[in-house]
């Protein structure tokens, strides 16, 4: 059974969707960016329905200023109260849930990493976490490096370069960014995520889309910080796991993680 739930958050009213099921481990889905709770390509709604059919209660919601919820959209950095309120509402609506897990993609994954403790969330499944702090219009440096390595192995790239089919200006700009030394600032987003998850290695699983720029940037940050968390790689370029095979693999990883609880 699926129903709509309204609940308070810092003086505003948030709307969520609950898929009821008999399981004692519940999954809270947090949406990334400015995405509403249905998810890209209806992906989160479909995922919730399949998990509920397998006995797992699932709750999705719109944070303040997004979709059906009131208030101002302060971005993922301001979503601690939203996540806490949603977790509280979930437990109130499904009192037989004794353990709460959460899933988020992109900056929702980052928000969960940073704020899960205040919400009492015990298990995290985080896909393609957002740790990018660059403000230009190019992909992350790590993604540029990975792409150039792939392209330079292709003889066709050299032929297009000789024939003028590749912009030297764009090439130079990309190479310049790719060659920048990466810092390990203690206050960087990647460092904050690692600190927030310190001591929780057994209860956190990362899922990365192999060719996704955000995932590549996260994997690069992990390497630079000497961090090797538990990670599952899905062989796709789709940030939202839009293909049917990607969605099925994502669901399989989530179900396996929840079955451990």
């Amino acid at each position: 059974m699926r129903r709509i739930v309204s609940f308070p958050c810092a003086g505003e009213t948030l709307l969520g969707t609950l898929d009821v099921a008999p399981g004692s481990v519940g999954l809270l889905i947090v949406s990334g960016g400015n995405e509403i709770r249905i998810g890209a390509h209806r992906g989160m709604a479909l995922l919730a329905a399949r998990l509920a059919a397998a006995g797992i209660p699932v709750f999705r919601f719109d944070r303040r200023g997004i979709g059906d919820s009131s208030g101002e959209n302060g971005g993922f950095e301001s979503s601690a109260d939203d996540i806490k309120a949603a977790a509280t509402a979930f437990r109130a609506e499904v009192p037989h849930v004794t353990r709460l897990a959460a899933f988020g993609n992109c900056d929702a994954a980052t928000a969960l990493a940073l704020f899960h403790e205040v919400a009492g969330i015990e298990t995290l499944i985080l896909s393609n976490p957002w740790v990018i702090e660059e403000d230009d219009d190019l992909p992350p440096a790590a993604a540029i490096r990975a792409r150039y390595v792939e392209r330079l192995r292709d003889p066709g790239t050299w032929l297009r370069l000789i024939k003028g089919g590749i912009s030297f200006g764009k090439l130079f700009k990309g190479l310049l960014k790719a060659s920048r030394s990466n810092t390990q600032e203690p206050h960087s987003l990647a460092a904050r995520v690692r600190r927030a998850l310190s001591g929780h290695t057994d209860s956190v699983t990362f899922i990365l889309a192999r060719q996704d720029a955000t995932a590549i940037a996260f994997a690069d940050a992990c390497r630079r910080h000497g961090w090797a968390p538990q990670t599952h790689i899905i062989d796709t370029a789709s940030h939202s796991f839009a293909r049917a095979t990607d969605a099925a693999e994502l669901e399989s990883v989530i179900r396996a993680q929840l079955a451990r609880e």
Side-chain angles (χ1 to χ4, degrees), residues 19-92:
D19 285 77
V20 182
S24 61
V25 179
L27 181 69
L28 177 69
I29 296 180
V30 178
S31 296
N34 296 323
E35 194 173 272
I36 61 175
R37 63 188 184 273
I38 196 171
H41 319 287
R42 299 183 65 242
M44 295 303 100
L46 294 171
L47 173 63
R50 291 193 297 267
L51 292 174
I56 300 166
V58 183
F59 190 63
R60 300 171 283 120
F61 70 100
D62 294 333
R63 73 165 186 258
R64 283 170 291 174
I66 298 293
D68 295 321
S69 296
S70 67
E72 295 293 325
N73 177 9
F76 78 95
E77 290 267 25
S78 302
S79 63
D81 286 343
D82 306 72
I83 295 170
K84 182 179 179 180
T88 299
F90 191 6
R91 289 190 176 95

Side-chain angles (χ1 to χ4, degrees), residues 143-164:
I144 293 174
R145 287 193 292 272
R147 178 60 176 153
Y148 277 144
V149 167
E150 178 185 343
R151 293 185 66 185
L152 291 175
R153 289 173 177 162
D154 179 9
T157 297
W158 296 97
L159 183 60
R160 288 193 298 275
L161 184 62
I162 294 169
K163 291 184 175 181

Side-chain angles (χ1 to χ4, degrees), residues 66-213:
I66 298 293
D68 295 321
S69 296
S70 67
E72 295 293 325
N73 177 9
F76 78 95
E77 290 267 25
S78 302
S79 63
D81 286 343
D82 306 72
I83 295 170
K84 182 179 179 180
T88 299
F90 191 6
R91 289 190 176 95
E93 292 291 327
V94 192
H96 62 264
V97 165
T98 59
R99 189 170 181 86
L100 193 59
F103 166 72
N105 185 45
C106 196
D107 64 24
T110 307
L112 281 169
L114 297 175
F115 308 132
H116 68 283
E117 287 191 332
V118 299
I121 295 168
E122 297 145 302
T123 299
L124 295 175
I125 305 163
L126 309 177
S127 66
N128 305 325
W130 179 266
V131 293
I132 300 166
E133 298 179 281
E134 298 151 338
D135 57 4
D136 56 34
D137 59 353
L138 291 174
I144 293 174
R145 287 193 292 272
R147 178 60 176 153
Y148 277 144
V149 167
E150 178 185 343
R151 293 185 66 185
L152 291 175
R153 289 173 177 162
D154 179 9
T157 297
W158 296 97
L159 183 60
R160 288 193 298 275
L161 184 62
I162 294 169
K163 291 184 175 181
I166 295 176
S167 166
F168 275 96
K170 187 175 181 180
L171 175 64
F172 178 76
K173 190 176 180 182
L175 287 172
L176 181 63
K177 180 170 183 177
S179 66
R180 291 177 188 163
S181 60
N182 291 302
T183 63
Q184 297 183 29
E185 289 291 334
H187 302 298
S188 70
L189 192 51
R192 289 170 57 202
V193 166
R194 183 181 182 186
R195 283 197 301 272
L197 297 177
S198 177
H200 299 281
T201 54
D202 292 338
S203 59
V204 181
T205 295
F206 289 97
I207 303 173
L208 301 182
R210 188 184 300 277
Q211 292 96 29
D212 173 60

Side-chain angles (χ1 to χ4, degrees), residues 27 29 38-51 103 105 125 127-128 207-209 232-256:
L27 181 69
I29 296 180
I38 196 171
H41 319 287
R42 299 183 65 242
M44 295 303 100
L46 294 171
L47 173 63
R50 291 193 297 267
L51 292 174
F103 166 72
N105 185 45
I125 305 163
S127 66
N128 305 325
I207 303 173
L208 301 182
H232 183 93
I233 305 296
I234 296 180
D235 192 13
T236 182
S238 174
H239 181 69
S240 59
F241 307 100
R243 299 184 310 183
T245 52
D246 300 340
E249 189 169 354
L250 174 68
E251 179 188 348
S252 177
V253 176
I254 291 173
R255 290 181 63 171

